[in-house]
Amino acid sequence: MKELQYINKYFIKYKYRFLLGVCITIITQVFSLFTPKLISQSFKAIETYSKNSSENIELIRSELFHNILLVIGTTLIAGLFSFLMRQTLIVMSRHIEFDLKNEVFKQYENLSQHFYKKNRTGDLMNRISEDVAKVRMYAGPAVMYSINTFIRFAIVITSMYHVSPRLTLYTLLPLPILSYFIFKLSQEINKRSTVFQEYLSKVSSFSQEIFSGIRVVKAYSLEAQQQQNMINLSEESKTKSLQLAKVNSLFGPLMLALIGVSNLVVIYFGGLMYINGTLKSIGTIAEFILYINMLTWPVASLGWVSSMVQEAEASQKRINEFLKIQPEIKNNNPNNSKINGAIEFRNVSLVYEDTNYKALNNISFRINKGQTLAILGKTGAGKSSILSLITRLYDVSEGEVLIDNLKIDQVNLYDLRNSIGIVPQDAFLFSDSIKNNIKFGKETATDEEVIAAAQKAAVHNNIMAFHQQYETILGERGITLSGGQKQRVSIARALIKNSEILLFDDCLSAVDTETEEIILNNLLDFCKDKTTIIVSHRVSSAKNADKIIILSEGKIIQEGTHNQLINQEGYYKELYLKQISEKDLA
């Protein structure tokens, strides 16, 4: 139960609903006690008449009819309060599920890139869905039936003891055996539930990856091979599920067997006590049998509850593994920060912890508000790493990054990111309309602003060619669009935000040179009062920049303006001459 202590804060949050549920449960159990008493009284009336036939038969009939009406009435009232009990406690568990899912989702949002490199999407999805659902079963049905069982046991056993302490003792003899078996089975359920959830995560992760990469699977004709891999994983998951189900299936028969033994004990010892005169009425035996039957479901539910608790603990343990991780990137300044856009790198180095790879080595440069910086270099030179430091997806290993002459970690993190419009190298689009994908940069944007941003990104005409135009629904990751169209929609999403800082990470690589020229000309006027950084492999993207730096193996090997660099020997001039000749050939 140690892991499940984490959600105690939610029980405190909904304490009034919880206490109301407990009160309703007590009322439910009080009304359910009337039936055994009334049955016992009815047996006594019949027994009295059988021993003394002079008793008025009409009085006996009247008493029996009166008792039947009371049984029906109290049962209906108990049923009504049982319904209210479920409405109170089960609804509380749904609130807890809602809160816990939001807490997990918020934690996912706060965790760093390093975390997502180590964990698979399918596993993360399984923990926020399947694992949280298991915990909800603990917070709802398990808690409800536990309270119900405890109160019913307390009330019923007290009533039994009041009627016959000796017969009560005989009746409860099988319970220690029951407790032992529950303890042993619960331990086994905990182990098997943990293993099953891990395999379920593997199946989810595998499925998610295959569905996301279905085009690659089809292109390489690997459907049969991946189907076999899925079958193998599913077989393993099925085996673990069946192993868990086998243990769970032992609870029901065990509970019913022990209840049956208790009934036999009552009949045998109760009969002997009635014969000996210790019990004055045969109705007491009937009353005790009803009491035992009242305990049948609570006792049987002990196994189910124990199973739910063990599964929930295993799931909460998996959830806690993520909730207890402290985000590497923290907001160190709770106050608002005004961002103008000046950026400076001072002797910055970056080492990725997961690979121990040094992506940047002693990088220094400065760009002022309104200036444009172009970063060129071969693949793996460290271009995207610079942008990751500016957005604080990572923190520097050495040196300092300054925003408006303040250390970047002293700037409010959310204000910093709100002031940045970024077009990533991998243009990610959501499974939504084109309009909403563009408005993701600014939710309050009007249709006119969306169209203006699309025109600047030179994608408006393409969108208008679609049947539903801006309302066209994109497939997962924007699969409906071509690579160039996805990049331009991403550019429109960044432009509509109208941020102080614009970062373009090789976002024109899938665009033809003519369209690239149109976009760059549109950006010239739009970016004149913004700090802009363009990462590219093309000289044409960099030629209008105020400053150009060339990276190689994480170091700056050349820097200057376009005119300066084409007159210097080195990477930039070679790239310029190569691309000029390629353009002529085209």
Side-chain angles (χ1 to χ4, degrees):
M1 295 290 288
K2 181 180 178 182
E3 298 292 343
L4 290 172
Q5 290 177 4
Y6 184 86
I7 66 170
N8 286 347
K9 61 182 181 181
Y10 294 121
F11 286 118
I12 295 172
K13 179 179 179 181
Y14 298 107
K15 56 183 178 292
Y16 296 116
R17 186 181 289 271
F18 179 76
L19 292 173
L20 178 61
V22 172
C23 294
I24 293 173
T25 304
I26 293 172
I27 295 171
T28 304
Q29 298 310 320
V30 168
F31 275 98
S32 67
L33 279 178
F34 281 88
T35 298
K37 292 288 185 184
L38 292 168
I39 296 295
S40 178
Q41 290 174 13
S42 299
F43 268 92
K44 287 177 183 178
I46 295 169
E47 191 177 11
T48 301
Y49 177 75
S50 65
K51 290 180 180 179
N52 188 1
S53 58
S54 62
E55 288 286 333
N56 190 332
I57 186 66
E58 293 301 324
L59 290 176
I60 300 299
R61 285 179 178 174
S62 176
E63 183 177 352
L64 291 176
F65 184 71
H66 180 258
N67 287 345
I68 289 171
L69 291 179
L70 286 176
V71 168
I72 294 172
T74 54
T75 301
L76 289 175
I77 293 172
L80 173 63
F81 278 99
S82 180
F83 168 76
L84 294 175
M85 174 185 69
R86 295 183 65 85
Q87 284 294 302
T88 305
L89 294 176
I90 299 300
V91 169
M92 177 193 72
S93 73
R94 291 297 182 183
H95 286 294
I96 291 175
E97 180 185 29
F98 174 82
D99 291 343
L100 185 57
K101 279 187 175 180
N102 278 287
E103 183 179 358
V104 174
F105 185 79
K106 184 177 180 181
Q107 175 73 346
Y108 282 173
E109 287 187 310
N110 289 333
L111 291 172
S112 65
Q113 296 291 101
H114 180 63
F115 169 82
Y116 286 98
K117 287 183 178 180
K118 294 194 302 181
N119 294 280
R120 301 172 74 180
T121 303
D123 183 37
L124 302 183
M125 294 295 296
N126 194 61
R127 298 195 194 208
I128 201 174
S129 56
E130 293 294 327
D131 285 326
V132 172
K134 296 282 187 185
V135 175
R136 202 281 302 176
M137 291 295 288
Y138 159 76
V143 168
M144 183 184 72
Y145 287 123
S146 296
I147 294 170
N148 191 45
T149 298
F150 176 79
I151 293 173
R152 179 169 288 193
F153 259 95
I155 292 176
V156 169
I157 291 175
T158 301
S159 299
M160 291 167 67
Y161 186 82
H162 179 72
V163 174
S164 175
R166 184 178 172 186
L167 190 56
T168 301
L169 180 62
Y170 290 141
T171 305
L172 300 179
L173 280 177
L175 289 182
I177 302 172
L178 174 65
S179 300
Y180 173 76
F181 278 108
I182 287 176
F183 174 73
K184 298 301 290 184
L185 286 173
S186 296
Q187 286 184 320
E188 191 62 28
I189 286 173
N190 195 329
K191 295 176 186 176
R192 298 191 182 193
S193 178
T194 301
V195 174
F196 170 63
Q197 287 297 105
E198 288 173 354
Y199 269 90
L200 198 60
S201 291
K202 290 180 181 179
V203 173
S204 299
S205 296
F206 180 81
S207 303
Q208 186 270 333
E209 288 179 354
I210 294 301
F211 297 153
S212 297
I214 192 65
R215 286 190 294 181
V216 177
V217 173
K218 288 181 177 293
Y220 283 85
S221 190
L222 294 173
E223 293 94 337
Q225 179 181 329
Q226 297 304 326
Q227 176 67 26
Q228 187 58 47
N229 291 338
M230 184 64 182
I231 290 172
N232 294 338
L233 268 177
S234 298
E235 282 292 335
E236 287 290 336
S237 179
K238 182 182 75 173
T239 300
K240 303 304 177 186
S241 178
L242 289 174
Q243 289 174 350
L244 176 61
K246 286 176 183 177
V247 179
N248 281 332
S249 65
L250 292 174
F251 271 112
L254 177 64
M255 305 302 160
L256 294 176
L258 289 170
I259 290 296
V261 170
S262 295
N263 275 322
L264 293 176
V265 168
V266 169
I267 293 170
Y268 179 74
F269 286 102
L272 291 177
M273 291 170 68
Y274 179 73
I275 293 169
N276 295 332
T278 309
L279 289 181
K280 296 183 179 181
S281 172
I282 197 74
T284 303
I285 298 176
E287 183 178 353
F288 263 75
I289 289 175
L290 287 174
Y291 282 141
I292 291 172
N293 287 325
M294 283 180 66
L295 295 177
T296 300
W297 169 243
V299 171
S301 71
L302 285 176
W304 188 42
V305 166
S306 179
S307 172
M308 284 191 290
V309 170
Q310 295 301 324
E311 291 178 0
E313 185 170 19
S315 293
Q316 187 64 46
K317 182 178 180 181
R318 284 162 45 81
I319 294 170
N320 288 347
E321 288 174 1
F322 288 169
L323 291 180
K324 291 179 180 178
I325 296 175
Q326 292 297 319
E328 297 174 15
I329 308 298
K330 297 180 180 179
N331 182 23
N332 300 318
N333 180 7
N335 301 318
N336 293 334
S337 298
K338 171 65 177 175
I339 307 296
N340 292 315
I343 301 172
E344 184 177 1
F345 276 51
R346 292 181 182 173
N347 305 315
V348 169
S349 296
L350 174 64
V351 178
Y352 291 116
E353 294 181 5
D354 51 332
T355 59
N356 204 32
Y357 175 73
K358 195 166 190 176
L360 297 175
N361 186 4
N362 198 31
I363 297 291
S364 296
F365 64 83
R366 179 181 174 86
I367 49 173
N368 296 317
K369 177 179 174 62
Q371 290 186 320
T372 298
L373 169 70
I375 306 175
L376 278 69
K378 297 178 181 178
T379 301
K383 305 184 296 296
S384 297
S385 296
I386 289 178
L387 303 190
S388 295
L389 291 177
I390 294 172
T391 54
R392 275 202 78 197
L393 294 178
Y394 296 95
D395 279 334
V396 298
S397 303
E398 296 177 14
E400 295 177 341
V401 176
L402 291 89
I403 302 292
D404 299 328
N405 298 318
L406 285 175
K407 288 184 180 180
I408 195 168
D409 59 357
Q410 298 304 313
V411 175
N412 183 286
L413 179 63
Y414 307 108
D415 288 338
L416 172 68
R417 290 177 176 171
N418 282 332
S419 67
I420 296 174
I422 183 168
V423 185
Q425 190 172 10
D426 179 19
F428 183 92
L429 299 179
F430 297 93
S431 300
D432 203 341
S433 66
I434 294 176
K435 181 172 74 173
N436 286 341
N437 267 283
I438 296 174
K439 288 179 68 174
F440 188 80
K442 182 183 178 183
E443 292 185 358
T444 59
T446 63
D447 289 349
E448 290 74 19
E449 289 176 304
V450 170
I451 293 171
Q455 288 172 336
K456 290 186 180 72
V459 73
H460 173 71
N461 292 337
N462 297 108
I463 296 172
M464 295 303 291
F466 293 130
H467 178 65
Q468 293 180 299
Q469 300 177 351
Y470 282 88
E471 297 300 331
T472 301
I473 301 297
L474 305 181
E476 186 176 9
R477 295 175 177 268
I479 196 172
T480 310
L481 304 180
S482 68
Q485 289 170 339
K486 284 195 288 187
Q487 286 187 335
R488 283 177 283 161
V489 170
S490 294
I491 292 171
R493 182 167 63 193
L495 297 181
I496 202 171
K497 192 176 179 182
N498 198 26
S499 307
E500 288 77 9
I501 300 172
L502 288 171
L503 307 178
F504 299 97
D505 189 1
D506 203 15
C507 60
L508 297 172
S509 57
V511 176
D512 61 82
T513 53
E514 183 180 344
T515 306
E516 179 191 30
E517 190 70 25
I518 295 171
I519 295 171
L520 290 174
N521 288 334
N522 291 340
L523 291 178
L524 273 176
D525 183 60
F526 183 80
C527 297
K528 63 183 179 181
D529 59 343
K530 304 179 186 303
T531 305
T532 308
I533 298 180
I534 300 174
V535 169
S536 181
H537 289 91
R538 294 178 178 175
V539 170
S540 53
S541 300
K543 64 183 181 181
N544 294 323
D546 298 296
K547 185 176 183 179
I548 302 169
I549 61 175
I550 314 296
L551 294 182
S552 178
E553 297 181 352
K555 297 179 181 179
I556 296 178
I557 57 172
Q558 281 185 291
E559 58 182 311
T561 63
H562 171 72
N563 291 332
Q564 290 171 342
L565 291 177
I566 59 173
N567 292 318
Q568 297 177 14
E569 296 299 325
Y571 176 84
Y572 187 84
K573 185 174 182 179
E574 293 172 7
L575 186 65
Y576 176 73
L577 294 174
K578 180 183 177 183
Q579 291 183 358
I580 288 296
S581 61
E582 287 177 349
K583 186 175 181 181
D584 291 339
L585 289 172

